[in-house]
Amino acid sequence: MKKTILFLGFLMALLQPLAAQIREFDLKATQNSIVRAIDDENQLIYTEVSPTESYFLLYHDGDPTALAFPLPSSPSMEIFDFRIVDDEVYFCGEVYTGSPTLGLVGTFNIPTVFSGSGPVNFGVLGATSGNEVTIESLRRLDLFQDGGLNCMAMVGDAQYEGMTTYPVVSAYFNGTNWNFWTDIQKDYPRFTDIACLDNLIVAAGTFLFDSLCFVKSFWHNHDFPAQECNPYNVHYFTYGVVKGDVLIAKERADIAMLACYDVSSGTATVLQRTPFDATTGSPLPTCSAQVTIPSSPVPYGSGQEMLELTVANGDIYLLQRTAYPGFGILDWRLRTPFPSPVIDAWYPLQGTQHSMDVTYALKTSAVNADSDNLQLHGPSWPSTDNNCQKYLSIDAAGVPVGFKETGFQIFPVNNSSSNVVRTVSVFEVEANIICQE
């Protein structure tokens, strides 16, 4: 199957010059879409028509068609994140089997599934043993290895004693069952993203009743919610007033980048480098941050959203929905070295952005506002406008970063889930060029 993909790509390369493009697929992306690179030439895309209709697509750069298969519609399921390692896909989301929804995990092998010979494996992570916590949804995902297993590190939504909590969750598939760990929270932290560093797993978020950005680190283990680096404590940063989701991504080794909104004076975007001590798991005092200036006068809550953060080729990339001075709420792709007094920014002239690839490929998935069709935007970083996107230069300034430690306790609990195996039907989808960058 890979040989067929590569051969088709070779033919298309002969027929047209290589360039960044916007491709539109004959499949809807009404609800959501996610793109992840498999390698230099192939992308895997999730697209959601409705909570009961969604698909995975395999696309090779330059091909006029993509391969696709539908996810089961009974029970209905939604996927919120997925990652790829060695042709194996791991995804997370939620499944509706009644009220409430339950956390969903799954995996499949790309070559075997898209050749029609392999299944998709699902697990439903609902109540923990003793029914202390019920996981309702799993929102963001990263991968790490422990004992030869590909392990999933996630954040999500849960119910505990009648209140909604936002825990960390681990899961792995042993070939027969899904095993997972999560936490019972006695306080009110809201974990919103997670990153697997070389020696640590770091979750980031905000407190429900405060406006602080915090991080909590764990050791690499399949049961990492039970392996806190600093038991009974969490580290929070002392600048600004933080609103919305905090995103976190690995920069290198045990250094993470964070992105958040500071609303202390208008609405500004903060990018923060946070190195960690690999022996203690604590942030190091060399943390640094920069903030976009001037702040936008559009108040937070007008549609601002952090979508995706990644580091590639030494630069920081952020996909967000926000306003900058002179512009209302738009989709923005940012690129900058760190630190830098200037941030390059683009907004697309076609399509509403959904996600950005988290590897070096940096393509974005989007939806056509008129047709609701799925779009794939090729990475293009010009220094001026073109017919596909507008360019803007945004000023940034350094801000002092301090951090403190405060009491915070979690109680780990675990359970297992049987595996559900489903076969899928693969079909072709047209992919047309709608803009040449």
Side-chain angles (χ1 to χ4, degrees):
M1 198 270 300
K2 281 188 175 180
K3 289 182 178 179
T4 301
I5 293 173
L6 293 173
F7 179 67
L8 287 173
F10 175 71
L11 287 180
M12 291 303 297
L14 293 177
L15 295 174
Q16 60 186 36
L18 291 177
Q21 301 165 339
I22 296 179
R23 288 271 177 174
E24 187 163 303
F25 300 89
D26 189 20
L27 203 59
K28 305 298 183 184
T30 314
Q31 299 281 116
N32 184 35
S33 64
I34 308 168
V35 59
R36 302 287 184 249
I38 302 169
D39 53 34
D40 289 340
E41 298 178 317
N42 297 287
Q43 289 82 43
L44 185 68
I45 310 169
Y46 168 79
T47 186
E48 188 177 312
V49 180
S50 72
T52 59
E53 184 183 356
S54 55
Y55 303 84
F56 272 105
L57 285 82
L58 176 63
Y59 182 66
H60 179 271
D61 288 343
D63 282 4
T65 60
L67 296 176
F69 69 81
L71 289 173
S73 58
S74 179
S76 61
M77 56 186 64
E78 295 182 78
I79 291 174
F80 298 130
D81 201 358
F82 71 89
R83 300 295 174 103
I84 303 168
V85 57
D86 298 329
D87 282 339
E88 296 291 330
V89 178
Y90 293 86
F91 58 83
C92 67
E94 65 185 29
V95 60
Y96 184 78
T97 58
S99 183
T101 59
L102 297 175
L104 172 73
V105 291
T107 184
F108 62 87
N109 179 271
I110 296 171
T112 58
V113 164
F114 281 98
S115 68
S117 62
V120 180
N121 297 288
F122 299 95
V124 177
L125 308 184
T128 57
S129 54
N131 296 318
E132 295 99 338
V133 178
T134 299
I135 302 169
E136 294 185 322
S137 182
L138 294 164
R139 299 283 175 178
R140 289 192 178 270
L141 161 71
D142 204 355
L143 297 176
F144 66 100
Q145 286 201 327
D146 180 38
L149 294 169
N150 292 323
C151 301
M152 306 169 71
M154 295 167 285
V155 296
D157 308 337
Q159 285 291 317
Y160 172 63
E161 293 186 346
M163 67 179 181
T164 300
T165 63
Y166 304 89
V168 291
V169 181
S170 71
Y172 69 91
F173 181 49
N174 63 14
T176 304
N177 293 310
W178 291 91
N179 297 276
F180 71 97
W181 287 76
T182 187
D183 66 83
I184 295 174
Q185 299 172 359
K186 292 294 186 180
D187 295 299
Y188 295 92
R190 191 174 70 93
F191 290 112
T192 59
D193 202 2
I194 196 162
C196 298
L197 310 183
D198 281 4
N199 297 288
L200 308 169
I201 298 166
V202 181
T206 60
F207 289 100
L208 283 178
F209 303 118
D210 209 334
S211 299
L212 298 170
C213 168
F214 74 85
V215 290
K216 185 166 182 62
S217 52
F218 305 83
W219 301 117
H220 272 218
N221 283 281
H222 67 273
D223 61 345
F224 79 84
Q227 306 293 334
E228 301 170 76
C229 296
N230 298 279
Y232 315 119
N233 287 295
V234 65
H235 294 91
Y236 67 91
F237 301 99
T238 57
Y239 63 83
V241 178
V242 177
K243 292 289 186 181
D245 289 355
V246 178
L247 299 187
I248 185 170
K250 177 181 176 180
E251 180 183 357
R252 64 182 186 276
D254 289 302
I255 303 174
M257 289 299 304
L258 281 77
C260 63
Y261 288 117
D262 176 12
V263 299
S264 56
S265 176
T267 303
T269 296
V270 177
L271 296 173
Q272 177 180 323
R273 173 180 282 150
T274 309
F276 291 85
D277 187 324
T279 61
T280 67
S282 299
L284 292 170
T286 51
C287 294
S288 57
Q290 64 183 37
V291 60
T292 55
I293 52 174
S295 298
S296 168
V298 178
Y300 181 82
S302 305
Q304 291 91 342
E305 186 177 3
M306 291 290 184
L307 298 173
E308 207 89 65
L309 173 70
T310 194
V311 182
N313 305 317
D315 284 343
I316 314 304
Y317 294 85
L318 176 66
L319 183 67
Q320 62 177 173
R321 186 163 296 127
T322 196
Y324 287 105
F327 296 89
I329 298 291
L330 293 170
D331 298 326
W332 292 94
R333 292 195 299 168
L334 306 187
R335 181 187 69 181
T336 183
F338 187 93
S340 173
V342 176
I343 296 175
D344 291 321
W346 298 261
Y347 68 86
L349 297 176
Q350 300 192 41
T352 299
Q353 302 292 284
H354 281 168
S355 79
M356 180 175 64
D357 174 54
V358 293
T359 72
Y360 51 84
L362 299 168
K363 295 189 176 182
T364 57
S365 69
V367 60
N368 184 318
D370 296 322
S371 67
D372 287 338
N373 280 349
L374 170 69
Q375 293 180 346
L376 178 64
H377 292 221
S380 179
W381 312 100
S383 58
T384 58
D385 298 342
N386 62 28
N387 65 329
C388 297
Q389 58 192 339
K390 298 287 283 183
Y391 171 80
L392 180 69
S393 177
I394 300 171
D395 292 332
V399 293
V401 179
F403 63 85
K404 295 182 179 180
E405 194 171 61
T406 187
F408 165 63
Q409 189 172 7
I410 66 174
F411 299 88
V413 288
N414 76 303
N415 210 341
S416 62
S417 169
S418 58
N419 184 55
V420 178
V421 180
R422 295 287 182 92
T423 57
V424 297
S425 299
V426 179
F427 61 96
E428 283 193 350
V429 175
E430 288 188 5
N432 300 305
I433 299 174
I434 66 166
C435 192
Q436 187 81 27
E437 297 180 309

